[in-house]
Amino acid sequence: MSTTSHNQPVAAETVNVRDLVDVQRGEISREIFINEQIHRQELENLFPRAWLFVGHESQVPNPGDFFSSWMGSDPVLLTRDDQGEIHVLLNSCRHRGMRVCRYDEGNTMKFTCPYHAWSYSIDGSLVAVPGDLHGVPHLKAAYSGRLEKEKWGLVRCPKVRSYKGLVFANWDAEAPEFDDYVGDFHWWLDNLADAFDGTEGGTEVFRGVHKWRIKSNWKFVSENFLGDTYHGASTHASVEAVGIGPGGKGKRRHGEQQNQGGFSKGRMKTSFRLGHGASDNLDYEIPYPTFAEDELTEYFRQAWDTRKQKLDREERPLGGRGPATLFPNMSFAAGFPRTILVAHPVSPTETEVWRWYLVDKSAPDFVRAWLRRYYMRYAGPAGMTEQDDMENWDYATESSRGVVARRFPYNYQQGLGEEQPSELDRAVHSNHAIAGEVNARAFYRRWAEVVDGLSWPELNKLAEIDERASGQRVGEADA
Ligand code: FES
Ligand SMILES: [Fe+2]
């Protein structure tokens, strides 16, 4: 992201956001989507404590490779050092804060700051060559040789986890470990990161990331992916009519197999106490489309048969192909298309959206070529489906920020009181209703607790109490 507007200090007057999120009644204030102070609290209390998706290992395959990314309000570099280890570094010089790397991606021996030329190695260390342009210029003359170089490397993110090639990071050393944070939501991540034939972590990204800005709050995006199946039939009616399915005709995702848009009876929602959510269609007899070209149909059919043999189970009920959101802002779909979307907060009413597209490492050229065309047709700023969604979010924001409009809450009452306990670890609810907002309620509940700045022990306690009340095992989630 080139510029952001979130560099102001947190004002003294903080907002208690739990007062604005009433999940019992299913009412949520519009303020949380437009208020500047709440946006600052998110940047302070949520993003530096959450596990955020930074990039994919396949974007930095070789020593010296780097990829520029963002974590909340902070620019970061995903790098791979000479030992093959991955690092996530704050992209800000320790001298006066200049961005040490202004490229989107590349390969380098070192990052040399453009301002006064301090140089850092690919793992972030301040290079220990005194007095020339490969280290700290004029080290001896300027610092009498006393600069403690080992203390002034680029700031390293303390918690980094590569999960089957998906790289996540967390600035808070006290935060729960990634696997505890995710719980059984890993089934959805597995479907994203594993190859179609079930090979673990058998995916890579098409190089290049779609990036664009929308005039609405980042939570619109997360919420939409974690369970808003309600919007499909209306929002995407025109796209469904045009027929942009994988087979070149029919509905968006599964050609002739998809029925009634978001209203198919086989929808299942799963919400997690720590805010993640997914929505899956159980109706598909087979989870791959029928294509116009026989060899494509055959490729995906074979991959699916191999997968079933390998995993010795059907895909259900252990996590489907989404769409889904890992709390707070990594959304994805694991089928057609298979894509990751991160909603970077820019301001209360502006979001920078980044889209990655995945492909099996072993996919032959004709499959890659077809997927590339399909992904471009389907998603991204020029894709037919994405435009439908963006327009709704932008107009909803514009017509919610007025003085009168913001007095009235949004309605989240769909399926209220009909939540069913889930059998999955750390999932709290599932709901087989045609449509329902159970996932959104769980997401905003967790969001409010974290944005209010509750400590980890306090957050753990709330999650524990909730799991007891719903008859689930008591989670060690954040212990
Ligand atoms: S700001 Fe980087 S060397 Fe001065
Ligand atoms: Fe949509």
Side-chain angles (χ1 to χ4, degrees):
M1 295 190 290
S2 50
T3 55
T4 57
S5 68
H6 39 52
N7 51 359
Q8 300 155 43
V10 172
E13 197 78 14
T14 53
V15 180
N16 186 349
V17 295
R18 277 172 296 169
D19 291 345
L20 304 176
V21 175
D22 188 341
V23 292
Q24 306 301 330
R25 292 162 64 100
E27 294 183 8
I28 295 179
S29 168
R30 296 175 191 224
E31 288 294 330
I32 76 166
F33 301 97
I34 50 180
N35 184 294
E36 181 70 41
Q37 173 58 26
I38 293 173
H39 173 71
R40 287 185 201 140
Q41 288 173 222
E42 286 179 331
L43 296 179
E44 284 283 330
N45 296 333
L46 170 61
F47 286 96
R49 297 200 294 164
W51 281 98
L52 303 173
F53 178 71
V54 174
H56 194 279
E57 281 212 38
S58 61
Q59 295 178 280
V60 288
N62 302 309
D65 284 351
F66 65 87
F67 170 68
S68 292
S69 191
W70 283 82
M71 293 174 68
S73 53
D74 294 295
V76 294
L77 291 163
L78 169 63
T79 70
R80 189 182 293 276
D81 69 20
D82 291 343
Q83 281 68 49
E85 210 173 310
I86 292 279
H87 302 275
V88 176
L89 311 166
L90 193 65
N91 190 358
S92 177
C93 181
R94 294 296 301 279
H95 182 230
R96 287 293 182 280
M98 175 65 195
R99 194 176 301 185
V100 295
C101 175
R102 291 172 292 167
Y103 294 96
D104 290 340
E105 59 180 19
N107 182 283
T108 188
M109 297 279 290
K110 63 185 188 309
F111 300 108
T112 299
C113 178
Y115 200 168
H116 312 90
W118 281 23
S119 290
Y120 303 89
S121 63
I122 195 80
D123 69 1
S125 313
L126 188 56
V127 177
V129 180
D132 65 17
L133 285 179
H134 299 293
V136 176
H138 313 297
L139 176 68
K140 266 217 156 98
Y143 296 93
S144 309
R146 289 200 296 264
L147 180 70
E148 295 178 273
K149 292 183 291 295
E150 57 289 345
K151 288 190 181 167
W152 294 96
L154 293 177
V155 177
R156 257 184 221 161
C157 192
K159 280 176 126 83
V160 178
R161 170 82 156 98
S162 175
Y163 185 83
K164 297 185 172 183
L166 307 167
V167 182
F168 299 89
N170 192 321
W171 285 113
D172 187 352
E174 306 299 314
E177 295 304 321
F178 180 77
D179 292 7
D180 291 329
Y181 183 82
V182 167
D184 266 353
F185 190 76
H186 79 82
W187 292 112
W188 281 267
L189 288 177
D190 291 343
N191 278 336
L192 175 72
D194 294 345
F196 277 121
D197 70 2
T199 304
E200 289 214 10
T203 50
E204 61 188 17
V205 295
F206 279 121
R207 294 302 282 268
V209 179
H210 267 154
K211 302 173 182 177
W212 71 98
R213 288 201 174 193
I214 56 175
K215 297 279 186 195
S216 63
N217 188 276
W218 65 272
K219 294 188 289 298
F220 266 103
V221 187
S222 292
E223 175 192 321
N224 188 275
F225 271 77
L226 63 69
D228 187 346
T229 50
Y230 197 41
H231 81 286
S234 48
T235 291
H236 300 300
S238 55
V239 150
E240 302 287 22
V242 170
I244 64 159
K249 54 184 179 173
K251 310 279 181 170
R252 283 176 294 146
R253 293 203 177 85
H254 281 248
E256 300 75 38
Q257 293 168 39
Q258 180 158 318
N259 51 23
Q260 303 139 43
F263 292 101
S264 67
K265 284 206 184 89
R267 281 281 175 186
M268 187 175 87
K269 316 276 181 196
T270 307
S271 58
F272 286 73
R273 185 58 183 86
L274 301 195
H276 330 306
S279 171
D280 301 296
N281 198 329
L282 310 179
D283 276 356
Y284 305 140
E285 285 176 20
I286 46 173
Y288 55 87
T290 306
F291 302 91
E293 300 92 345
D294 287 346
E295 60 178 352
L296 276 169
T297 308
E298 185 56 20
Y299 173 81
F300 286 107
R301 189 190 65 72
Q302 271 186 18
W304 181 246
D305 288 347
T306 309
R307 179 189 189 86
K308 276 202 294 191
Q309 283 164 12
K310 250 185 211 161
L311 303 184
D312 195 27
R313 64 172 169 80
E314 294 291 338
E315 196 173 44
R316 288 268 131 229
L318 297 173
R321 298 203 168 274
T325 295
L326 179 78
F327 185 84
N329 68 336
M330 180 222 188
S331 298
F332 58 90
F336 294 89
R338 187 160 43 162
T339 172
I340 298 165
L341 184 156
V342 172
H344 295 291
V346 176
S347 81
T349 54
E350 188 165 10
T351 298
E352 187 158 308
V353 182
W354 287 21
R355 272 255 197 199
W356 288 253
Y357 300 92
L358 290 165
V359 60
D360 286 354
K361 284 178 192 162
S362 61
D365 285 348
F366 76 93
V367 172
R368 286 172 184 268
W370 176 82
L371 278 174
R372 190 184 287 279
R373 284 197 303 276
Y374 172 61
Y375 290 162
M376 286 191 291
R377 183 170 82 224
Y378 184 99
M384 297 175 78
T385 310
E386 199 104 45
Q387 295 185 28
D388 293 339
D389 293 312
M390 290 190 285
E391 194 158 88
N392 283 330
W393 303 333
D394 287 4
Y395 277 106
T397 300
E398 196 179 78
S399 55
S400 289
R401 65 202 306 176
V403 173
V404 174
R406 61 204 295 175
R407 295 176 189 156
F408 297 91
Y410 290 155
N411 181 305
Y412 285 85
Q413 295 174 338
Q414 216 175 76
L416 194 61
E418 293 164 19
E419 297 88 347
Q420 299 145 6
S422 170
E423 291 159 9
L424 298 182
D425 184 18
R426 285 158 212 170
V428 284
H429 299 123
S430 64
N431 190 336
H432 290 260
I434 288 172
E437 287 162 343
V438 54
N439 290 6
R441 289 191 292 274
F443 173 89
Y444 287 115
R445 181 182 183 192
R446 178 68 174 181
W447 171 87
E449 293 165 357
V450 179
V451 174
D452 268 346
L454 299 188
S455 66
W456 287 117
E458 288 169 325
L459 290 167
N460 298 344
K461 196 92 195 142
L462 285 170
E464 251 179 44
I465 290 166
D466 194 64
E467 290 198 6
R468 275 205 199 101
S470 67
Q472 300 299 296
R473 52 175 271 188
V474 175
E476 312 82 2
D478 309 341

